[in-house]
Amino acid sequence: MAGQVDTDRFTAVQWSAVMSTYRKSFFWCLCFCLILSVIAAVDLLTSYRQEERSAAKRVANASFLLSEWIHGAMENSDYVLRDIISQVSLDALRYPDTDLARQADISRMIDAKRITLPNAAGVGLVDRNCVVTHTNARIGVDASRRE
């Protein structure tokens, strides 16, 4: 019986050593997975913040380009309108015009100036009563009731 007890005790000690090795392996595997998860989470958060900053920069650049484009378009329109006004006297702004040749010349000049503006659909002059006197479209439209 004494031999039997020693064998059982040896088996228990051996099983305890195996379980201890298993627990250590499991503990280190858990630590490795936890560290890997933390590294992945930090990398994901860093990438997210970097992409967010990059998107903000792209939006700011696109907004700046759009504002410059609009500013340039307004400036070009202003130059063309000032040029038209400098070439047309106030006496010519009446409807109906008595000098049809002058009206046609001014309308052609306005249309030639309009063509120099990209995306311009129409340019016209109105008299003091807001009646269109010269344009590339329909002449004689009363715009006095429009806002």
Short mmCIF file of all heavy atoms in Angstrom, two decimals, residues 77-109:
data_model
loop_
_atom_site.label_atom_id
_atom_site.label_comp_id
_atom_site.label_asym_id
_atom_site.label_seq_id
_atom_site.Cartn_x
_atom_site.Cartn_y
_atom_site.Cartn_z
N SER A 77 -16.51 89.79 -63.82
CA SER A 77 -17.80 90.39 -64.16
C SER A 77 -17.77 91.89 -63.91
O SER A 77 -18.29 92.67 -64.71
CB SER A 77 -18.91 89.76 -63.33
OG SER A 77 -19.01 88.39 -63.59
N ASP A 78 -17.16 92.28 -62.81
CA ASP A 78 -17.07 93.70 -62.48
C ASP A 78 -16.29 94.46 -63.55
O ASP A 78 -16.71 95.54 -63.98
CB ASP A 78 -16.43 93.87 -61.11
CG ASP A 78 -16.43 95.31 -60.65
OD1 ASP A 78 -17.52 95.93 -60.68
OD2 ASP A 78 -15.36 95.82 -60.27
N TYR A 79 -15.17 93.89 -64.00
CA TYR A 79 -14.36 94.55 -65.05
C TYR A 79 -15.17 94.69 -66.35
O TYR A 79 -15.15 95.75 -66.99
CB TYR A 79 -13.08 93.78 -65.33
CG TYR A 79 -12.06 93.87 -64.23
CD1 TYR A 79 -11.27 92.77 -63.92
CD2 TYR A 79 -11.86 95.03 -63.50
CE1 TYR A 79 -10.33 92.84 -62.90
CE2 TYR A 79 -10.93 95.11 -62.50
CZ TYR A 79 -10.16 94.02 -62.20
OH TYR A 79 -9.23 94.08 -61.20
N VAL A 80 -15.87 93.64 -66.73
CA VAL A 80 -16.64 93.68 -67.97
C VAL A 80 -17.79 94.70 -67.85
O VAL A 80 -18.01 95.49 -68.77
CB VAL A 80 -17.18 92.28 -68.32
CG1 VAL A 80 -18.22 92.35 -69.43
CG2 VAL A 80 -16.03 91.37 -68.75
N LEU A 81 -18.48 94.70 -66.72
CA LEU A 81 -19.58 95.65 -66.56
C LEU A 81 -19.08 97.10 -66.53
O LEU A 81 -19.69 97.99 -67.12
CB LEU A 81 -20.36 95.32 -65.28
CG LEU A 81 -21.15 94.02 -65.33
CD1 LEU A 81 -21.78 93.74 -63.97
CD2 LEU A 81 -22.20 94.04 -66.41
N ARG A 82 -17.95 97.33 -65.87
CA ARG A 82 -17.38 98.68 -65.87
C ARG A 82 -16.97 99.10 -67.28
O ARG A 82 -17.13 100.26 -67.67
CB ARG A 82 -16.19 98.76 -64.93
CG ARG A 82 -16.58 98.74 -63.47
CD ARG A 82 -15.34 98.74 -62.58
NE ARG A 82 -15.68 98.47 -61.22
CZ ARG A 82 -15.95 99.42 -60.33
NH1 ARG A 82 -15.92 100.69 -60.68
NH2 ARG A 82 -16.26 99.11 -59.08
N ASP A 83 -16.44 98.15 -68.04
CA ASP A 83 -16.04 98.45 -69.42
C ASP A 83 -17.27 98.79 -70.27
O ASP A 83 -17.25 99.74 -71.05
CB ASP A 83 -15.30 97.25 -70.02
CG ASP A 83 -14.70 97.55 -71.38
OD1 ASP A 83 -14.33 98.72 -71.62
OD2 ASP A 83 -14.61 96.61 -72.19
N ILE A 84 -18.35 98.06 -70.10
CA ILE A 84 -19.59 98.34 -70.84
C ILE A 84 -20.13 99.71 -70.46
O ILE A 84 -20.49 100.51 -71.33
CB ILE A 84 -20.64 97.23 -70.58
CG1 ILE A 84 -20.21 95.92 -71.23
CG2 ILE A 84 -22.00 97.65 -71.12
CD1 ILE A 84 -21.07 94.73 -70.85
N ILE A 85 -20.16 99.99 -69.18
CA ILE A 85 -20.70 101.28 -68.72
C ILE A 85 -19.85 102.44 -69.24
O ILE A 85 -20.39 103.50 -69.59
CB ILE A 85 -20.77 101.30 -67.17
CG1 ILE A 85 -21.87 100.37 -66.70
CG2 ILE A 85 -21.02 102.70 -66.65
CD1 ILE A 85 -21.90 100.18 -65.21
N SER A 86 -18.54 102.24 -69.32
CA SER A 86 -17.69 103.33 -69.80
C SER A 86 -17.90 103.60 -71.30
O SER A 86 -17.58 104.69 -71.78
CB SER A 86 -16.22 103.01 -69.53
OG SER A 86 -15.78 101.95 -70.36
N GLN A 87 -18.42 102.63 -72.03
CA GLN A 87 -18.60 102.79 -73.48
C GLN A 87 -20.01 103.19 -73.89
O GLN A 87 -20.24 103.55 -75.05
CB GLN A 87 -18.21 101.49 -74.19
CG GLN A 87 -16.73 101.16 -74.06
CD GLN A 87 -16.38 99.88 -74.80
OE1 GLN A 87 -17.05 99.51 -75.76
NE2 GLN A 87 -15.32 99.23 -74.37
N VAL A 88 -20.96 103.13 -72.96
CA VAL A 88 -22.35 103.44 -73.29
C VAL A 88 -22.77 104.69 -72.52
O VAL A 88 -22.63 104.75 -71.30
CB VAL A 88 -23.28 102.26 -72.93
CG1 VAL A 88 -24.73 102.60 -73.23
CG2 VAL A 88 -22.86 101.00 -73.67
N SER A 89 -23.29 105.66 -73.23
CA SER A 89 -23.76 106.88 -72.57
C SER A 89 -25.15 106.67 -72.00
O SER A 89 -25.90 105.79 -72.43
CB SER A 89 -23.77 108.04 -73.56
OG SER A 89 -24.77 107.83 -74.53
N LEU A 90 -25.51 107.51 -71.03
CA LEU A 90 -26.83 107.41 -70.42
C LEU A 90 -27.94 107.76 -71.40
O LEU A 90 -29.08 107.30 -71.25
CB LEU A 90 -26.91 108.31 -69.19
CG LEU A 90 -26.13 107.83 -67.97
CD1 LEU A 90 -26.21 108.86 -66.85
CD2 LEU A 90 -26.63 106.49 -67.49
N ASP A 91 -27.62 108.56 -72.40
CA ASP A 91 -28.63 108.93 -73.41
C ASP A 91 -29.07 107.72 -74.23
O ASP A 91 -30.19 107.70 -74.77
CB ASP A 91 -28.08 110.00 -74.35
CG ASP A 91 -27.79 111.30 -73.62
OD1 ASP A 91 -28.43 111.53 -72.56
OD2 ASP A 91 -26.93 112.07 -74.09
N ALA A 92 -28.21 106.72 -74.33
CA ALA A 92 -28.54 105.54 -75.13
C ALA A 92 -29.47 104.59 -74.38
O ALA A 92 -30.04 103.67 -74.97
CB ALA A 92 -27.27 104.81 -75.53
N LEU A 93 -29.63 104.78 -73.07
CA LEU A 93 -30.45 103.88 -72.26
C LEU A 93 -31.90 104.37 -72.23
O LEU A 93 -32.38 104.93 -71.24
CB LEU A 93 -29.89 103.80 -70.84
CG LEU A 93 -28.48 103.25 -70.70
CD1 LEU A 93 -28.05 103.24 -69.25
CD2 LEU A 93 -28.37 101.86 -71.30
N ARG A 94 -32.61 104.15 -73.30
CA ARG A 94 -34.04 104.46 -73.32
C ARG A 94 -34.75 103.43 -74.20
O ARG A 94 -34.17 102.90 -75.15
CB ARG A 94 -34.29 105.88 -73.76
CG ARG A 94 -34.07 106.18 -75.19
CD ARG A 94 -34.34 107.64 -75.41
NE ARG A 94 -33.03 108.27 -75.53
CZ ARG A 94 -32.67 109.01 -76.56
NH1 ARG A 94 -33.52 109.28 -77.48
NH2 ARG A 94 -31.49 109.50 -76.65
N TYR A 95 -35.98 103.17 -73.82
CA TYR A 95 -36.78 102.22 -74.59
C TYR A 95 -38.09 102.88 -74.95
O TYR A 95 -38.74 103.46 -74.07
CB TYR A 95 -37.03 100.94 -73.79
CG TYR A 95 -37.83 99.94 -74.57
CD1 TYR A 95 -37.23 99.16 -75.53
CD2 TYR A 95 -39.20 99.81 -74.36
CE1 TYR A 95 -37.97 98.25 -76.25
CE2 TYR A 95 -39.95 98.90 -75.08
CZ TYR A 95 -39.32 98.13 -76.02
OH TYR A 95 -40.06 97.23 -76.74
N PRO A 96 -38.51 102.81 -76.14
CA PRO A 96 -37.83 102.33 -77.34
C PRO A 96 -36.80 103.36 -77.81
O PRO A 96 -37.01 104.56 -77.71
CB PRO A 96 -38.95 102.15 -78.35
CG PRO A 96 -40.04 103.07 -77.91
CD PRO A 96 -39.90 103.22 -76.43
N ASP A 97 -35.70 102.84 -78.31
CA ASP A 97 -34.62 103.71 -78.79
C ASP A 97 -34.99 104.26 -80.17
O ASP A 97 -35.51 103.54 -81.02
CB ASP A 97 -33.32 102.91 -78.87
CG ASP A 97 -32.09 103.80 -78.92
OD1 ASP A 97 -32.27 105.03 -79.11
OD2 ASP A 97 -30.98 103.28 -78.77
N THR A 98 -34.68 105.52 -80.37
CA THR A 98 -34.98 106.15 -81.67
C THR A 98 -33.93 105.82 -82.71
O THR A 98 -34.23 105.79 -83.90
CB THR A 98 -35.07 107.68 -81.50
OG1 THR A 98 -33.86 108.16 -80.91
CG2 THR A 98 -36.26 108.06 -80.64
N ASP A 99 -32.71 105.50 -82.27
CA ASP A 99 -31.62 105.16 -83.20
C ASP A 99 -31.42 103.64 -83.14
O ASP A 99 -30.68 103.12 -82.29
CB ASP A 99 -30.36 105.91 -82.80
CG ASP A 99 -29.24 105.74 -83.83
OD1 ASP A 99 -29.44 105.01 -84.82
OD2 ASP A 99 -28.17 106.34 -83.62
N LEU A 100 -32.06 102.92 -84.03
CA LEU A 100 -32.01 101.45 -84.02
C LEU A 100 -30.62 100.92 -84.35
O LEU A 100 -30.22 99.86 -83.85
CB LEU A 100 -33.05 100.89 -84.98
CG LEU A 100 -34.50 101.17 -84.61
CD1 LEU A 100 -35.45 100.60 -85.66
CD2 LEU A 100 -34.81 100.63 -83.24
N ALA A 101 -29.87 101.62 -85.18
CA ALA A 101 -28.51 101.18 -85.52
C ALA A 101 -27.62 101.26 -84.29
O ALA A 101 -26.83 100.34 -84.01
CB ALA A 101 -27.94 102.03 -86.65
N ARG A 102 -27.73 102.34 -83.52
CA ARG A 102 -26.93 102.49 -82.29
C ARG A 102 -27.33 101.41 -81.29
O ARG A 102 -26.48 100.81 -80.62
CB ARG A 102 -27.15 103.88 -81.70
CG ARG A 102 -26.36 104.10 -80.41
CD ARG A 102 -26.54 105.46 -79.84
NE ARG A 102 -27.96 105.64 -79.47
CZ ARG A 102 -28.42 106.70 -78.84
NH1 ARG A 102 -27.61 107.71 -78.55
NH2 ARG A 102 -29.68 106.80 -78.53
N GLN A 103 -28.62 101.14 -81.17
CA GLN A 103 -29.09 100.11 -80.25
C GLN A 103 -28.52 98.74 -80.65
O GLN A 103 -28.07 97.98 -79.80
CB GLN A 103 -30.61 100.05 -80.23
CG GLN A 103 -31.14 99.03 -79.23
CD GLN A 103 -32.64 98.95 -79.21
OE1 GLN A 103 -33.31 99.37 -80.15
NE2 GLN A 103 -33.17 98.39 -78.13
N ALA A 104 -28.52 98.44 -81.93
CA ALA A 104 -27.97 97.16 -82.40
C ALA A 104 -26.47 97.10 -82.15
O ALA A 104 -25.95 96.05 -81.74
CB ALA A 104 -28.28 96.98 -83.88
N ASP A 105 -25.75 98.19 -82.38
CA ASP A 105 -24.31 98.21 -82.13
C ASP A 105 -24.00 97.98 -80.64
O ASP A 105 -23.10 97.20 -80.30
CB ASP A 105 -23.70 99.54 -82.58
CG ASP A 105 -23.64 99.68 -84.09
OD1 ASP A 105 -23.73 98.64 -84.77
OD2 ASP A 105 -23.50 100.83 -84.56
N ILE A 106 -24.73 98.66 -79.78
CA ILE A 106 -24.51 98.50 -78.33
C ILE A 106 -24.86 97.08 -77.90
O ILE A 106 -24.12 96.45 -77.12
CB ILE A 106 -25.33 99.54 -77.54
CG1 ILE A 106 -24.77 100.95 -77.81
CG2 ILE A 106 -25.29 99.24 -76.05
CD1 ILE A 106 -25.62 102.06 -77.23
N SER A 107 -25.94 96.53 -78.43
CA SER A 107 -26.32 95.15 -78.09
C SER A 107 -25.26 94.16 -78.55
O SER A 107 -24.94 93.20 -77.84
CB SER A 107 -27.68 94.80 -78.68
OG SER A 107 -28.69 95.54 -78.05
N ARG A 108 -24.69 94.36 -79.75
CA ARG A 108 -23.61 93.49 -80.24
C ARG A 108 -22.37 93.63 -79.36
O ARG A 108 -21.71 92.64 -79.04
CB ARG A 108 -23.28 93.81 -81.69
CG ARG A 108 -24.18 93.10 -82.69
CD ARG A 108 -23.63 93.17 -84.12
NE ARG A 108 -23.52 94.55 -84.61
CZ ARG A 108 -24.52 95.23 -85.16
NH1 ARG A 108 -25.71 94.67 -85.28
NH2 ARG A 108 -24.35 96.46 -85.60
N MET A 109 -22.04 94.85 -78.97
CA MET A 109 -20.88 95.07 -78.10
C MET A 109 -21.09 94.39 -76.75
O MET A 109 -20.18 93.73 -76.23
CB MET A 109 -20.66 96.58 -77.91
CG MET A 109 -19.41 96.95 -77.11
SD MET A 109 -19.63 97.20 -75.35
CE MET A 109 -20.86 98.45 -75.26
#
